[in-house]
């Protein structure tokens, strides 16, 4: 009975870790997409408009 519980615990642990890694991966891809979209829209303004002010 103990080996069966150990195997079930390991399976549960690996499935949970896989789910967490997949969620982290999806969040990273979404943040990268938001970054690129923001970069494209920021750089498409005309040159005469006031953007960020750097000293």
């Amino acid at each position: 009975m103990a080996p069966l519980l150990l195997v079930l615990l390991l399976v549960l642990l690996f499935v949970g870790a896989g789910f967490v890694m997949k969620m982290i991966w999806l969040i990273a891809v979404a943040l990268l997409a938001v970054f690129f979209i923001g970069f494209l829209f920021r750089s498409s303004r005309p040159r005469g408009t006031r953007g960020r002010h750097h000293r």
Side-chain angles (χ1 to χ4, degrees), residues 27-50:
I27 290 169
V29 169
L31 287 175
L32 190 64
V34 168
F35 172 76
F36 277 128
I37 289 170
F39 181 76
L40 289 174
F41 280 125
R42 184 181 65 90
S43 63
S44 65
R45 279 192 267 171
R47 292 281 180 194
T49 61
R50 292 180 62 143

Side-chain angles (χ1 to χ4, degrees), residues 5-24:
L5 288 176
L6 184 63
V7 169
L8 287 175
L9 184 64
L10 285 174
V11 166
L12 199 65
L13 183 71
F14 284 128
V15 167
F19 178 74
V20 169
M21 290 300 291
K22 187 171 186 175
M23 294 309 292
I24 290 173

